[in-house]
Amino acid sequence: MKSSVYTDCEGLLGVDAEVKDLLKCVSSSINTVPAGALNFSRSVLLVVSAALVFFMQAGFAMVCAGAVRKKNVQNTMLKNLLDACGAVIAYFVVGFAFSFGGMDPESTRTDFIGKENFFLMGVEDYAFWLFQYAFSAASATIVAGALAERCQMAAYLCYSLMLTGWVYPIIVHAIWNANGFLSAMHMEPLFGVGMIDFAGSGVVHVTGGLTALFATAILGPRRGRFHDDSGRKLDTPKPIQGSSVALQMLGTFILWFGWYGFNCGSALLIVNEYTGSTVALAAVNTTMSAGVAGITALFVNLWYLERTTGEPFFDLTYAMNGALSGLVAVTAGCGVIEPWAAVLTGIVAGLIYMVGSRGLIMVRLDDAVDAIPVHLMNGVWGCIAVGLWASPTRISRFFGRAPHPGWFYAIRDGNPGDMRLLGAQLVGLLFIIGWVMSIMVPFFIWLDWKGWFRSDPLEEIVGLDTSYHGGLALLNSHQDSVQPEYITAFKKQREEGNLRRRNNRGVGHVGTAGDSEVFEESGHGVTEDAC
């Protein structure tokens, strides 16, 4: 536009200098985007990105619904909805304030927690708040699938609020707040570079995955998964089939779609002349890593089955979770690595998922949706991958400086001792692990001690949909899948409990004399072969 107008001006004969200057001014103005237009575009695109991230809640819900049995689908759906609802309250009241309250990018100060903007007071950038809220909800939802089919509703509400209102915001403040001690945007960053977690492999996925790990270890496996009906360990763990592979596939594609908001939206947080290219790079890297990881997990698992059993088959679950693992892993570096590095990240992510998923079974940890290998293990890998091959050019374009690139680039430039970025990544991971462990492990132990964590044995056997959402009305639909004696025992337990509450003599689960003793004696050994 500018060159054509300017040429026309020069071609006009007899036009005086003042008119030429005026036309040049108009031409220059056409090519200068007003600050208001930039802010408008950023806000609109950030809201769209937030909507995509929020839509990932539907993906998580579908994955969980497909992975659990039919008798627990409604309960799982409600817990996913409560994640979104609870995160709204927690992030509105204190979460955002702890994360970004009083942030001053021009200051060299370092603080542990934000102290302003509670209840959104003084906040003008609502698009930024919405975007960050969607991230906090995603972190909490990661835990839901791992604890499916055996966690009490009260416990779920408690830890969801604790995670989004306190644990997660402190990690956000340390890594994404310009005044956080790990932030790459700090005026004086750690090791001169700070931790680079572009869209949250560490902040979101390691936090959620680590919480799921601790919760799963304390909660224990689903009944019948690793023990027989006498409480003895099974030599071969019993697989528990989910309700629908189709729902899991739908959830996987929804999550992949929403991940473009997750990763590309993060590139909008710093607006400069390279923002557009950074958004596009993040989208390409997201796609590459997911596709490669899915293929890797599928075919490496095929090879493994052929070598160990002689009966290989294409396991759709490995392809789906492999793709999700690639998405998690590339999230930390999607805007600062080149596409070839995204391919390598995805290959390793697929391998990590396969090893991690089988490793959980070996150590007898029951993760219903494989949230731990997908989010925790590949979140850790994603942060480390940034320390290995973050491009100095990409870092410079986004953060404005690139004194210490990924280690592979340092080796290329003849400086193999420059491992500052990798060191910052490792320090950040240690902080996340230490913070989550120090808060959530005692919290889960306390919930378990209070008896608020794990559902009653009979409630698990007849299904949490019946126990929490339909009373005795849903039992008729389960009579073809739950043994009649369990239904009878559950009815007696429920009726006696209701009677005691009406008489104000107690509240809670009270079993009949014979029934509850049988279930409690067997511990993990209550079988669900008929379920």
Side-chain angles (χ1 to χ4, degrees):
M1 176 69 73
K2 181 177 179 179
S3 60
S4 63
V5 172
Y6 183 79
T7 302
D8 290 343
C9 293
E10 292 297 324
L12 291 176
L13 298 177
V15 177
D16 57 26
E18 292 182 0
V19 175
K20 287 184 179 180
D21 291 340
L22 178 60
L23 290 175
K24 290 178 182 179
C25 180
V26 171
S27 174
S28 177
S29 299
I30 291 174
N31 289 274
T32 302
V33 181
L38 281 176
N39 291 333
F40 172 80
S41 300
R42 173 190 176 276
S43 295
V44 170
L45 293 174
L46 207 54
V47 168
V48 171
S49 298
L52 289 174
V53 176
F54 183 80
F55 189 52
M56 293 173 69
Q57 296 289 334
F60 284 120
M62 293 301 99
V63 169
C64 291
V68 303
R69 289 160 289 187
K70 290 182 180 179
K71 62 183 180 179
N72 296 306
V73 170
Q74 187 178 162
N75 183 261
T76 300
M77 294 295 92
L78 179 60
K79 288 175 178 175
N80 278 269
L81 178 60
L82 290 178
D83 278 326
C85 297
V88 168
I89 298 172
Y91 217 66
F92 168 69
V93 177
V94 296
F96 184 80
F98 290 158
S99 300
F100 297 101
M103 181 174 65
D104 184 4
E106 303 300 324
S107 173
T108 59
R109 81 169 193 270
T110 301
D111 43 36
F112 178 75
I113 190 171
K115 305 178 183 66
E116 301 178 18
N117 305 129
F118 296 96
F119 298 94
L120 278 181
M121 291 186 295
V123 175
E124 296 181 358
D125 193 350
Y126 290 129
F128 180 68
W129 180 89
L130 186 67
F131 188 67
Q132 293 298 332
Y133 149 72
F135 272 57
S136 70
S139 180
T141 306
I142 291 170
V143 189
L147 308 185
E149 302 194 293
R150 62 201 188 276
C151 181
Q152 289 192 44
M153 290 297 299
Y156 192 83
L157 286 170
C158 288
Y159 80 72
S160 181
L161 291 173
M162 173 65 78
L163 187 66
T164 56
W166 175 243
V167 177
Y168 173 80
I170 300 303
I171 295 173
V172 170
H173 186 93
I175 299 173
W176 284 346
N177 190 309
N179 304 121
F181 79 99
L182 292 169
S183 177
M185 295 178 287
H186 198 287
M187 294 293 289
E188 299 175 356
L190 179 70
F191 302 152
V193 62
M195 180 183 183
I196 297 178
D197 189 2
F198 192 86
S201 287
V203 173
V204 178
H205 297 283
V206 173
T207 299
L210 196 61
T211 302
L213 173 63
F214 297 144
T216 301
I218 296 171
L219 187 64
R222 288 168 289 180
R223 296 184 178 276
R225 181 74 167 102
F226 298 128
H227 302 80
D228 61 19
D229 53 0
S230 62
R232 293 175 298 186
K233 288 185 178 180
L234 298 170
D235 293 334
T236 302
K238 174 187 172 183
I240 297 178
Q241 299 298 325
S243 62
S244 172
V245 176
L247 284 180
Q248 291 178 268
M249 177 57 75
L250 175 63
T252 300
F253 275 120
I254 290 175
L255 287 171
W256 190 334
F257 176 71
W259 230 286
Y260 290 111
F262 209 92
N263 289 353
C264 300
S266 299
L268 299 170
L269 299 180
I270 296 180
V271 179
N272 57 36
E273 60 183 309
Y274 300 109
T275 299
S277 61
T278 304
V279 168
L281 176 69
V284 169
N285 286 340
T286 299
T287 306
M288 297 295 294
S289 181
V292 171
I295 292 293
T296 300
L298 176 66
F299 283 97
V300 172
N301 180 65
L302 184 73
W303 171 85
Y304 176 83
L305 291 174
E306 193 276 330
R307 302 297 294 179
T308 56
T309 68
E311 298 180 1
F313 63 92
F314 291 96
D315 193 329
L316 180 58
T317 300
Y318 275 83
M320 293 186 295
N321 285 336
L324 295 179
S325 297
L327 290 167
V328 170
V330 80
T331 296
C334 58
V336 294
I337 64 175
E338 301 293 345
W340 63 264
V343 171
L344 294 179
T345 300
I347 292 173
V348 177
L351 296 173
I352 289 175
Y353 167 71
M354 178 187 161
V355 174
S357 179
R358 297 185 182 278
L360 285 183
I361 297 176
M362 293 178 61
V363 299
R364 306 277 172 157
L365 281 179
D366 185 19
D367 182 350
V369 297
D370 272 348
I372 295 169
V374 170
H375 297 279
L376 172 58
M377 297 181 183
N378 278 291
V380 171
W381 159 238
C383 292
I384 294 174
V386 172
L388 295 178
W389 41 62
S391 165
T393 301
R394 301 298 181 179
I395 295 175
S396 177
R397 288 181 177 182
F398 190 75
F399 294 101
R401 59 173 180 266
H404 306 289
W407 188 40
F408 282 16
Y409 283 94
I411 295 175
R412 182 200 66 179
D413 296 336
N415 189 18
D418 185 2
M419 302 175 65
R420 294 195 180 192
L421 178 57
L422 181 59
Q425 300 298 105
L426 295 176
V427 170
L429 287 171
L430 290 175
F431 169 73
I432 295 172
I433 293 171
W435 176 248
V436 175
M437 180 182 295
S438 65
I439 302 298
M440 297 310 293
V441 170
F443 184 72
F444 286 130
I445 292 175
W446 176 76
L447 284 176
D448 191 52
W449 174 72
K450 294 289 291 184
W452 296 345
F453 201 10
R454 179 137 190 169
S455 296
D456 181 87
L458 275 175
E459 291 179 344
E460 288 187 50
I461 292 174
V462 300
L464 299 187
D465 286 1
T466 294
S467 305
Y468 291 106
H469 308 293
L472 302 179
L474 293 177
L475 284 175
N476 292 332
S477 64
H478 293 155
Q479 287 191 9
D480 60 343
S481 60
V482 179
Q483 293 179 0
E485 58 267 30
Y486 294 146
I487 296 175
T488 301
F490 180 78
K491 287 182 177 179
K492 289 181 179 179
Q493 178 173 285
R494 179 60 59 88
E495 290 168 359
E496 183 173 337
N498 290 338
L499 178 62
R500 292 176 70 94
R501 280 191 288 271
R502 285 195 296 268
N503 293 333
N504 293 323
R505 289 197 299 268
V507 179
H509 300 293
V510 181
T512 59
D515 296 323
S516 62
E517 292 177 3
V518 172
F519 296 116
E520 293 302 329
E521 285 177 2
S522 61
H524 294 299
V526 178
T527 183
E528 292 191 72
D529 291 337
C531 298

